[in-house]
Amino acid sequence: MIKVLVVDDDVRVADVNAAYVAKIPGFHVAAKAHSAGEALRLVEETPVDLVLLDHYLPDETGLSVVRTLRERGHQTDVIMVTAARDVATVQAAMRHGALQYLVKPFSYAGLRAKLDAYATLRRTLDGGGEAEQAEVDRIFGALSSTPAPELPKGHSPTTAELVRRALMAADGPLSAQELADLTRLSRQTAQRYLKLLERTGRVRLSLKYGDTGRPEHRYEWAASV
């Protein structure tokens, strides 16, 4: 059984999330916490495999919890489950080692998709051994809730996933330049992946008309979460 710590400042939301987890085969709710301090204490006292972690906590942020866990040497996996959707927070969560980022509100099906993918990832990693590039790409993309399209030669699944996360976290459609600035990709690379994802139906294109000149192309994530 995969032991899970559910962390949310709202007791009712924590109960709902814990009930969702309990319905998924192979997962067990080991504990619930409603603050950063309580979460850190429980990780020390109750070994867990995965933390479903809210970002907005009364004493610290979820990101600070992840940082403290890593500083203390805990390799517990973390999936952020939060209403925080600004790209800076998403990027910081990735850099601090969060495996995935689930934006509230979400459905049971949405959470189950993440946890089923996480269970698959654990089975793959527990197998050990060496991995070819295709296997590495599959491991890194295992927690993507939307299956990646077949990418043409020269396209990276990791870059496609970076673009997906940035678009999903954005408050509205982005231009290729805005996406490039957020992801630190070149504008040419951002444009190339946007066009690819638009052709596969995962990205929706809209036009923004100004007073003069050509309309600006803007993109937003279209595939369901």
Side-chain angles (χ1 to χ4, degrees):
M1 297 290 284
I2 296 173
K3 297 181 289 295
V4 181
L5 170 63
V6 176
V7 183
D8 199 290
D9 67 317
D10 188 316
V11 175
R12 292 170 299 178
V13 172
D15 288 343
V16 170
N17 290 349
Y20 280 172
V21 173
K23 291 169 61 177
I24 302 173
F27 289 85
H28 168 70
V29 179
K32 291 179 286 186
H34 309 297
S35 68
E38 187 180 10
L40 291 169
R41 177 180 60 79
L42 285 169
V43 171
E44 296 284 355
E45 297 175 356
T46 309
V48 295
D49 303 300
L50 175 66
V51 180
L52 292 184
L53 181 61
D54 188 18
H55 180 59
Y56 297 118
L57 299 171
D59 46 352
E60 300 281 350
T61 66
L63 290 180
S64 69
V65 172
V66 180
R67 282 195 297 267
T68 301
L69 287 175
R70 300 304 179 240
E71 289 168 358
R72 294 181 181 179
H74 293 289
Q75 299 304 312
T76 308
D77 293 323
V78 174
I79 294 179
M80 299 292 290
V81 180
T82 175
R85 57 179 67 217
D86 59 286
V87 172
T89 301
V90 176
Q91 288 180 325
M94 293 169 61
R95 292 187 184 118
H96 291 304
L99 285 178
Q100 187 52 285
Y101 201 100
L102 186 59
V103 177
K104 295 178 181 177
F106 56 86
S107 65
Y108 166 71
L111 178 61
R112 175 157 190 170
K114 298 293 187 192
L115 295 189
D116 284 345
Y118 172 74
T120 299
L121 176 64
R122 281 180 59 93
R123 288 193 294 270
T124 300
L125 296 178
D126 289 346
E130 295 184 349
E132 299 296 331
Q133 183 62 52
E135 180 70 3
V136 172
D137 289 341
R138 191 173 74 83
I139 290 171
F140 271 86
L143 289 176
S144 172
S145 57
T146 304
E150 292 295 325
L151 298 178
K153 186 175 182 180
H155 288 74
S156 162
T158 304
T159 302
E161 173 67 4
L162 179 63
V163 170
R164 183 187 74 87
R165 292 189 186 194
L167 289 173
M168 289 185 67
D171 291 331
L174 299 175
S175 67
Q177 186 59 60
E178 288 169 337
L179 178 68
D181 293 340
L182 289 170
T183 58
R184 299 184 181 179
L185 298 171
S186 69
R187 186 187 184 285
Q188 182 181 18
T189 298
Q191 185 72 63
R192 186 155 54 97
Y193 278 82
L194 286 169
K195 287 183 176 180
L196 170 65
L197 293 170
E198 190 223 335
R199 287 197 301 270
T200 62
R202 285 165 168 77
V203 164
R204 183 182 300 112
L205 169 65
S206 60
L207 300 178
K208 180 180 179 182
Y209 291 89
D211 295 333
T212 60
R214 299 174 59 186
E216 181 182 45
H217 287 205
R218 301 186 69 81
Y219 302 86
E220 61 184 329
W221 190 252
S224 59
V225 179

PDB file of all heavy atoms in Angstrom, residues 1-6 17-32 46-52 115 118-119 122:
ATOM      1  N   MET A   1       0.834  -1.200   0.000  1.00  0.00           N
ATOM      2  CA  MET A   1       0.000   0.000   0.000  1.00  0.00           C
ATOM      3  C   MET A   1       0.869   1.251   0.000  1.00  0.00           C
ATOM      4  O   MET A   1       1.868   1.320   0.713  1.00  0.00           O
ATOM      5  CB  MET A   1      -0.910   0.008   1.220  1.00  0.00           C
ATOM      6  CG  MET A   1      -1.896  -1.143   1.273  1.00  0.00           C
ATOM      7  SD  MET A   1      -3.196  -1.003   0.022  1.00  0.00           S
ATOM      8  CE  MET A   1      -4.222   0.250   0.765  1.00  0.00           C
ATOM      9  N   ILE A   2       0.480   2.229  -0.768  1.00  0.00           N
ATOM     10  CA  ILE A   2       1.183   3.514  -0.792  1.00  0.00           C
ATOM     11  C   ILE A   2       0.566   4.398   0.285  1.00  0.00           C
ATOM     12  O   ILE A   2      -0.627   4.716   0.247  1.00  0.00           O
ATOM     13  CB  ILE A   2       1.051   4.172  -2.180  1.00  0.00           C
ATOM     14  CG1 ILE A   2       1.752   3.304  -3.235  1.00  0.00           C
ATOM     15  CG2 ILE A   2       1.636   5.583  -2.167  1.00  0.00           C
ATOM     16  CD1 ILE A   2       1.542   3.786  -4.660  1.00  0.00           C
ATOM     17  N   LYS A   3       1.373   4.792   1.254  1.00  0.00           N
ATOM     18  CA  LYS A   3       0.892   5.557   2.405  1.00  0.00           C
ATOM     19  C   LYS A   3       0.927   7.054   2.069  1.00  0.00           C
ATOM     20  O   LYS A   3       1.956   7.570   1.638  1.00  0.00           O
ATOM     21  CB  LYS A   3       1.742   5.254   3.635  1.00  0.00           C
ATOM     22  CG  LYS A   3       1.673   3.791   4.073  1.00  0.00           C
ATOM     23  CD  LYS A   3       2.489   3.514   5.301  1.00  0.00           C
ATOM     24  CE  LYS A   3       3.976   3.559   5.031  1.00  0.00           C
ATOM     25  NZ  LYS A   3       4.424   2.503   4.110  1.00  0.00           N
ATOM     26  N   VAL A   4      -0.199   7.735   2.313  1.00  0.00           N
ATOM     27  CA  VAL A   4      -0.369   9.126   1.893  1.00  0.00           C
ATOM     28  C   VAL A   4      -0.671  10.012   3.092  1.00  0.00           C
ATOM     29  O   VAL A   4      -1.482   9.666   3.961  1.00  0.00           O
ATOM     30  CB  VAL A   4      -1.528   9.244   0.875  1.00  0.00           C
ATOM     31  CG1 VAL A   4      -1.686  10.693   0.412  1.00  0.00           C
ATOM     32  CG2 VAL A   4      -1.291   8.326  -0.327  1.00  0.00           C
ATOM     33  N   LEU A   5      -0.022  11.171   3.132  1.00  0.00           N
ATOM     34  CA  LEU A   5      -0.339  12.232   4.079  1.00  0.00           C
ATOM     35  C   LEU A   5      -1.087  13.317   3.320  1.00  0.00           C
ATOM     36  O   LEU A   5      -0.583  13.847   2.325  1.00  0.00           O
ATOM     37  CB  LEU A   5       0.936  12.818   4.701  1.00  0.00           C
ATOM     38  CG  LEU A   5       0.768  14.097   5.521  1.00  0.00           C
ATOM     39  CD1 LEU A   5      -0.124  13.868   6.736  1.00  0.00           C
ATOM     40  CD2 LEU A   5       2.137  14.635   5.959  1.00  0.00           C
ATOM     41  N   VAL A   6      -2.305  13.645   3.765  1.00  0.00           N
ATOM     42  CA  VAL A   6      -3.132  14.673   3.138  1.00  0.00           C
ATOM     43  C   VAL A   6      -3.003  15.953   3.947  1.00  0.00           C
ATOM     44  O   VAL A   6      -3.289  15.957   5.149  1.00  0.00           O
ATOM     45  CB  VAL A   6      -4.610  14.239   3.060  1.00  0.00           C
ATOM     46  CG1 VAL A   6      -5.473  15.358   2.492  1.00  0.00           C
ATOM     47  CG2 VAL A   6      -4.740  12.972   2.215  1.00  0.00           C
ATOM     48  N   ASN A  17     -10.541  15.127   0.334  1.00  0.00           N
ATOM     49  CA  ASN A  17      -9.382  14.600  -0.383  1.00  0.00           C
ATOM     50  C   ASN A  17      -8.973  13.232   0.164  1.00  0.00           C
ATOM     51  O   ASN A  17      -8.614  12.320  -0.599  1.00  0.00           O
ATOM     52  CB  ASN A  17      -8.208  15.571  -0.285  1.00  0.00           C
ATOM     53  CG  ASN A  17      -8.448  16.837  -1.077  1.00  0.00           C
ATOM     54  OD1 ASN A  17      -9.385  16.939  -1.862  1.00  0.00           O
ATOM     55  ND2 ASN A  17      -7.597  17.842  -0.869  1.00  0.00           N
ATOM     56  N   ALA A  18      -9.027  13.083   1.492  1.00  0.00           N
ATOM     57  CA  ALA A  18      -8.679  11.800   2.099  1.00  0.00           C
ATOM     58  C   ALA A  18      -9.671  10.721   1.677  1.00  0.00           C
ATOM     59  O   ALA A  18      -9.282   9.570   1.411  1.00  0.00           O
ATOM     60  CB  ALA A  18      -8.649  11.933   3.622  1.00  0.00           C
ATOM     61  N   ALA A  19     -10.952  11.084   1.598  1.00  0.00           N
ATOM     62  CA  ALA A  19     -11.963  10.116   1.152  1.00  0.00           C
ATOM     63  C   ALA A  19     -11.715   9.704  -0.300  1.00  0.00           C
ATOM     64  O   ALA A  19     -11.885   8.532  -0.659  1.00  0.00           O
ATOM     65  CB  ALA A  19     -13.361  10.714   1.310  1.00  0.00           C
ATOM     66  N   TYR A  20     -11.316  10.661  -1.133  1.00  0.00           N
ATOM     67  CA  TYR A  20     -10.963  10.336  -2.518  1.00  0.00           C
ATOM     68  C   TYR A  20      -9.815   9.325  -2.558  1.00  0.00           C
ATOM     69  O   TYR A  20      -9.875   8.321  -3.275  1.00  0.00           O
ATOM     70  CB  TYR A  20     -10.539  11.604  -3.261  1.00  0.00           C
ATOM     71  CG  TYR A  20     -11.651  12.483  -3.761  1.00  0.00           C
ATOM     72  CD1 TYR A  20     -11.366  13.742  -4.292  1.00  0.00           C
ATOM     73  CD2 TYR A  20     -12.978  12.084  -3.729  1.00  0.00           C
ATOM     74  CE1 TYR A  20     -12.375  14.577  -4.775  1.00  0.00           C
ATOM     75  CE2 TYR A  20     -13.995  12.908  -4.200  1.00  0.00           C
ATOM     76  CZ  TYR A  20     -13.682  14.150  -4.721  1.00  0.00           C
ATOM     77  OH  TYR A  20     -14.677  14.961  -5.197  1.00  0.00           O
ATOM     78  N   VAL A  21      -8.753   9.626  -1.794  1.00  0.00           N
ATOM     79  CA  VAL A  21      -7.573   8.752  -1.793  1.00  0.00           C
ATOM     80  C   VAL A  21      -7.947   7.352  -1.334  1.00  0.00           C
ATOM     81  O   VAL A  21      -7.500   6.345  -1.906  1.00  0.00           O
ATOM     82  CB  VAL A  21      -6.470   9.337  -0.891  1.00  0.00           C
ATOM     83  CG1 VAL A  21      -5.316   8.346  -0.738  1.00  0.00           C
ATOM     84  CG2 VAL A  21      -5.956  10.658  -1.458  1.00  0.00           C
ATOM     85  N   ALA A  22      -8.781   7.274  -0.295  1.00  0.00           N
ATOM     86  CA  ALA A  22      -9.149   5.974   0.282  1.00  0.00           C
ATOM     87  C   ALA A  22      -9.909   5.100  -0.711  1.00  0.00           C
ATOM     88  O   ALA A  22      -9.919   3.868  -0.583  1.00  0.00           O
ATOM     89  CB  ALA A  22      -9.974   6.189   1.544  1.00  0.00           C
ATOM     90  N   LYS A  23     -10.548   5.718  -1.718  1.00  0.00           N
ATOM     91  CA  LYS A  23     -11.309   4.962  -2.713  1.00  0.00           C
ATOM     92  C   LYS A  23     -10.424   4.354  -3.803  1.00  0.00           C
ATOM     93  O   LYS A  23     -10.880   3.522  -4.581  1.00  0.00           O
ATOM     94  CB  LYS A  23     -12.357   5.870  -3.373  1.00  0.00           C
ATOM     95  CG  LYS A  23     -13.478   6.293  -2.460  1.00  0.00           C
ATOM     96  CD  LYS A  23     -14.331   7.387  -3.092  1.00  0.00           C
ATOM     97  CE  LYS A  23     -14.990   6.942  -4.384  1.00  0.00           C
ATOM     98  NZ  LYS A  23     -15.877   8.000  -4.944  1.00  0.00           N
ATOM     99  N   ILE A  24      -9.177   4.789  -3.867  1.00  0.00           N
ATOM    100  CA  ILE A  24      -8.289   4.355  -4.950  1.00  0.00           C
ATOM    101  C   ILE A  24      -7.507   3.125  -4.518  1.00  0.00           C
ATOM    102  O   ILE A  24      -6.782   3.173  -3.517  1.00  0.00           O
ATOM    103  CB  ILE A  24      -7.330   5.493  -5.347  1.00  0.00           C
ATOM    104  CG1 ILE A  24      -8.137   6.733  -5.768  1.00  0.00           C
ATOM    105  CG2 ILE A  24      -6.404   5.040  -6.474  1.00  0.00           C
ATOM    106  CD1 ILE A  24      -7.284   7.956  -6.021  1.00  0.00           C
ATOM    107  N   PRO A  25      -7.632   2.009  -5.222  1.00  0.00           N
ATOM    108  CA  PRO A  25      -6.922   0.783  -4.845  1.00  0.00           C
ATOM    109  C   PRO A  25      -5.411   1.016  -4.764  1.00  0.00           C
ATOM    110  O   PRO A  25      -4.825   1.690  -5.610  1.00  0.00           O
ATOM    111  CB  PRO A  25      -7.271  -0.189  -5.981  1.00  0.00           C
ATOM    112  CG  PRO A  25      -8.563   0.325  -6.543  1.00  0.00           C
ATOM    113  CD  PRO A  25      -8.487   1.819  -6.422  1.00  0.00           C
ATOM    114  N   GLY A  26      -4.811   0.452  -3.723  1.00  0.00           N
ATOM    115  CA  GLY A  26      -3.368   0.539  -3.566  1.00  0.00           C
ATOM    116  C   GLY A  26      -2.903   1.717  -2.743  1.00  0.00           C
ATOM    117  O   GLY A  26      -1.698   1.858  -2.484  1.00  0.00           O
ATOM    118  N   PHE A  27      -3.829   2.587  -2.302  1.00  0.00           N
ATOM    119  CA  PHE A  27      -3.463   3.767  -1.520  1.00  0.00           C
ATOM    120  C   PHE A  27      -4.129   3.727  -0.146  1.00  0.00           C
ATOM    121  O   PHE A  27      -5.265   3.270  -0.003  1.00  0.00           O
ATOM    122  CB  PHE A  27      -3.873   5.048  -2.252  1.00  0.00           C
ATOM    123  CG  PHE A  27      -3.035   5.342  -3.463  1.00  0.00           C
ATOM    124  CD1 PHE A  27      -3.333   4.765  -4.691  1.00  0.00           C
ATOM    125  CD2 PHE A  27      -1.932   6.185  -3.374  1.00  0.00           C
ATOM    126  CE1 PHE A  27      -2.555   5.025  -5.806  1.00  0.00           C
ATOM    127  CE2 PHE A  27      -1.149   6.450  -4.487  1.00  0.00           C
ATOM    128  CZ  PHE A  27      -1.458   5.867  -5.705  1.00  0.00           C
ATOM    129  N   HIS A  28      -3.411   4.228   0.842  1.00  0.00           N
ATOM    130  CA  HIS A  28      -3.911   4.274   2.220  1.00  0.00           C
ATOM    131  C   HIS A  28      -3.603   5.645   2.817  1.00  0.00           C
ATOM    132  O   HIS A  28      -2.466   6.126   2.715  1.00  0.00           O
ATOM    133  CB  HIS A  28      -3.238   3.191   3.062  1.00  0.00           C
ATOM    134  CG  HIS A  28      -3.463   3.348   4.538  1.00  0.00           C
ATOM    135  ND1 HIS A  28      -4.689   3.148   5.138  1.00  0.00           N
ATOM    136  CD2 HIS A  28      -2.600   3.702   5.530  1.00  0.00           C
ATOM    137  CE1 HIS A  28      -4.577   3.372   6.432  1.00  0.00           C
ATOM    138  NE2 HIS A  28      -3.340   3.705   6.698  1.00  0.00           N
ATOM    139  N   VAL A  29      -4.597   6.287   3.414  1.00  0.00           N
ATOM    140  CA  VAL A  29      -4.384   7.574   4.079  1.00  0.00           C
ATOM    141  C   VAL A  29      -3.778   7.305   5.448  1.00  0.00           C
ATOM    142  O   VAL A  29      -4.447   6.802   6.353  1.00  0.00           O
ATOM    143  CB  VAL A  29      -5.701   8.358   4.216  1.00  0.00           C
ATOM    144  CG1 VAL A  29      -5.450   9.680   4.944  1.00  0.00           C
ATOM    145  CG2 VAL A  29      -6.307   8.616   2.843  1.00  0.00           C
ATOM    146  N   ALA A  30      -2.493   7.648   5.584  1.00  0.00           N
ATOM    147  CA  ALA A  30      -1.796   7.408   6.852  1.00  0.00           C
ATOM    148  C   ALA A  30      -2.122   8.477   7.884  1.00  0.00           C
ATOM    149  O   ALA A  30      -2.152   8.202   9.088  1.00  0.00           O
ATOM    150  CB  ALA A  30      -0.290   7.351   6.612  1.00  0.00           C
ATOM    151  N   ALA A  31      -2.356   9.735   7.415  1.00  0.00           N
ATOM    152  CA  ALA A  31      -2.628  10.827   8.349  1.00  0.00           C
ATOM    153  C   ALA A  31      -3.120  12.037   7.579  1.00  0.00           C
ATOM    154  O   ALA A  31      -2.979  12.115   6.351  1.00  0.00           O
ATOM    155  CB  ALA A  31      -1.368  11.177   9.147  1.00  0.00           C
ATOM    156  N   LYS A  32      -3.694  12.991   8.323  1.00  0.00           N
ATOM    157  CA  LYS A  32      -4.103  14.278   7.765  1.00  0.00           C
ATOM    158  C   LYS A  32      -3.494  15.383   8.610  1.00  0.00           C
ATOM    159  O   LYS A  32      -3.330  15.237   9.820  1.00  0.00           O
ATOM    160  CB  LYS A  32      -5.633  14.405   7.769  1.00  0.00           C
ATOM    161  CG  LYS A  32      -6.341  13.481   6.796  1.00  0.00           C
ATOM    162  CD  LYS A  32      -7.852  13.652   6.863  1.00  0.00           C
ATOM    163  CE  LYS A  32      -8.417  13.025   8.139  1.00  0.00           C
ATOM    164  NZ  LYS A  32      -9.898  13.054   8.172  1.00  0.00           N
ATOM    165  N   THR A  46       5.445   9.538  11.253  1.00  0.00           N
ATOM    166  CA  THR A  46       4.694   8.525  10.506  1.00  0.00           C
ATOM    167  C   THR A  46       5.257   8.404   9.103  1.00  0.00           C
ATOM    168  O   THR A  46       4.983   9.260   8.257  1.00  0.00           O
ATOM    169  CB  THR A  46       3.203   8.908  10.423  1.00  0.00           C
ATOM    170  OG1 THR A  46       2.715   9.203  11.725  1.00  0.00           O
ATOM    171  CG2 THR A  46       2.388   7.798   9.788  1.00  0.00           C
ATOM    172  N   PRO A  47       6.052   7.394   8.827  1.00  0.00           N
ATOM    173  CA  PRO A  47       6.619   7.253   7.482  1.00  0.00           C
ATOM    174  C   PRO A  47       5.519   7.224   6.420  1.00  0.00           C
ATOM    175  O   PRO A  47       4.561   6.451   6.535  1.00  0.00           O
ATOM    176  CB  PRO A  47       7.357   5.916   7.554  1.00  0.00           C
ATOM    177  CG  PRO A  47       7.645   5.707   9.013  1.00  0.00           C
ATOM    178  CD  PRO A  47       6.471   6.307   9.732  1.00  0.00           C
ATOM    179  N   VAL A  48       5.642   8.094   5.428  1.00  0.00           N
ATOM    180  CA  VAL A  48       4.680   8.131   4.327  1.00  0.00           C
ATOM    181  C   VAL A  48       5.435   8.121   3.006  1.00  0.00           C
ATOM    182  O   VAL A  48       6.595   8.533   2.940  1.00  0.00           O
ATOM    183  CB  VAL A  48       3.758   9.372   4.406  1.00  0.00           C
ATOM    184  CG1 VAL A  48       2.891   9.310   5.651  1.00  0.00           C
ATOM    185  CG2 VAL A  48       4.558  10.664   4.372  1.00  0.00           C
ATOM    186  N   ASP A  49       4.763   7.658   1.966  1.00  0.00           N
ATOM    187  CA  ASP A  49       5.370   7.615   0.636  1.00  0.00           C
ATOM    188  C   ASP A  49       5.083   8.886  -0.156  1.00  0.00           C
ATOM    189  O   ASP A  49       5.897   9.306  -0.976  1.00  0.00           O
ATOM    190  CB  ASP A  49       4.826   6.413  -0.146  1.00  0.00           C
ATOM    191  CG  ASP A  49       5.060   5.101   0.583  1.00  0.00           C
ATOM    192  OD1 ASP A  49       6.229   4.781   0.840  1.00  0.00           O
ATOM    193  OD2 ASP A  49       4.066   4.416   0.899  1.00  0.00           O
ATOM    194  N   LEU A  50       3.904   9.468   0.081  1.00  0.00           N
ATOM    195  CA  LEU A  50       3.442  10.585  -0.746  1.00  0.00           C
ATOM    196  C   LEU A  50       2.721  11.604   0.123  1.00  0.00           C
ATOM    197  O   LEU A  50       1.938  11.241   1.002  1.00  0.00           O
ATOM    198  CB  LEU A  50       2.488  10.063  -1.830  1.00  0.00           C
ATOM    199  CG  LEU A  50       1.800  11.092  -2.725  1.00  0.00           C
ATOM    200  CD1 LEU A  50       2.823  11.808  -3.608  1.00  0.00           C
ATOM    201  CD2 LEU A  50       0.727  10.417  -3.586  1.00  0.00           C
ATOM    202  N   VAL A  51       2.976  12.895  -0.157  1.00  0.00           N
ATOM    203  CA  VAL A  51       2.254  13.981   0.515  1.00  0.00           C
ATOM    204  C   VAL A  51       1.415  14.708  -0.527  1.00  0.00           C
ATOM    205  O   VAL A  51       1.952  15.195  -1.533  1.00  0.00           O
ATOM    206  CB  VAL A  51       3.220  14.972   1.190  1.00  0.00           C
ATOM    207  CG1 VAL A  51       2.430  16.091   1.883  1.00  0.00           C
ATOM    208  CG2 VAL A  51       4.112  14.257   2.203  1.00  0.00           C
ATOM    209  N   LEU A  52       0.099  14.771  -0.304  1.00  0.00           N
ATOM    210  CA  LEU A  52      -0.776  15.642  -1.095  1.00  0.00           C
ATOM    211  C   LEU A  52      -0.807  16.970  -0.362  1.00  0.00           C
ATOM    212  O   LEU A  52      -1.422  17.086   0.699  1.00  0.00           O
ATOM    213  CB  LEU A  52      -2.176  15.055  -1.219  1.00  0.00           C
ATOM    214  CG  LEU A  52      -2.334  13.781  -2.040  1.00  0.00           C
ATOM    215  CD1 LEU A  52      -3.810  13.405  -2.138  1.00  0.00           C
ATOM    216  CD2 LEU A  52      -1.742  13.932  -3.430  1.00  0.00           C
ATOM    217  N   LEU A 115      -2.917   9.810  -9.199  1.00  0.00           N
ATOM    218  CA  LEU A 115      -2.411   8.780  -8.295  1.00  0.00           C
ATOM    219  C   LEU A 115      -2.168   7.464  -9.012  1.00  0.00           C
ATOM    220  O   LEU A 115      -1.211   6.744  -8.690  1.00  0.00           O
ATOM    221  CB  LEU A 115      -3.379   8.598  -7.131  1.00  0.00           C
ATOM    222  CG  LEU A 115      -3.518   9.800  -6.200  1.00  0.00           C
ATOM    223  CD1 LEU A 115      -4.323   9.431  -4.950  1.00  0.00           C
ATOM    224  CD2 LEU A 115      -2.167  10.370  -5.798  1.00  0.00           C
ATOM    225  N   TYR A 118       1.058   7.940 -10.609  1.00  0.00           N
ATOM    226  CA  TYR A 118       2.122   7.882  -9.589  1.00  0.00           C
ATOM    227  C   TYR A 118       2.441   6.431  -9.222  1.00  0.00           C
ATOM    228  O   TYR A 118       3.610   6.056  -9.100  1.00  0.00           O
ATOM    229  CB  TYR A 118       1.686   8.658  -8.349  1.00  0.00           C
ATOM    230  CG  TYR A 118       2.630   8.496  -7.178  1.00  0.00           C
ATOM    231  CD1 TYR A 118       3.873   9.129  -7.173  1.00  0.00           C
ATOM    232  CD2 TYR A 118       2.284   7.695  -6.090  1.00  0.00           C
ATOM    233  CE1 TYR A 118       4.749   8.968  -6.108  1.00  0.00           C
ATOM    234  CE2 TYR A 118       3.154   7.529  -5.020  1.00  0.00           C
ATOM    235  CZ  TYR A 118       4.378   8.170  -5.038  1.00  0.00           C
ATOM    236  OH  TYR A 118       5.244   8.006  -3.981  1.00  0.00           O
ATOM    237  N   ALA A 119       1.403   5.599  -9.070  1.00  0.00           N
ATOM    238  CA  ALA A 119       1.629   4.194  -8.745  1.00  0.00           C
ATOM    239  C   ALA A 119       2.415   3.499  -9.863  1.00  0.00           C
ATOM    240  O   ALA A 119       3.321   2.699  -9.597  1.00  0.00           O
ATOM    241  CB  ALA A 119       0.287   3.490  -8.511  1.00  0.00           C
ATOM    242  N   ARG A 122       6.051   4.555  -9.591  1.00  0.00           N
ATOM    243  CA  ARG A 122       6.760   3.843  -8.509  1.00  0.00           C
ATOM    244  C   ARG A 122       7.135   2.436  -8.942  1.00  0.00           C
ATOM    245  O   ARG A 122       8.245   1.970  -8.659  1.00  0.00           O
ATOM    246  CB  ARG A 122       5.894   3.808  -7.256  1.00  0.00           C
ATOM    247  CG  ARG A 122       5.900   5.097  -6.452  1.00  0.00           C
ATOM    248  CD  ARG A 122       5.017   4.960  -5.235  1.00  0.00           C
ATOM    249  NE  ARG A 122       5.449   3.889  -4.371  1.00  0.00           N
ATOM    250  CZ  ARG A 122       6.278   4.044  -3.340  1.00  0.00           C
ATOM    251  NH1 ARG A 122       6.773   5.245  -3.066  1.00  0.00           N
ATOM    252  NH2 ARG A 122       6.617   3.024  -2.584  1.00  0.00           N
TER     253      ARG A 122
END
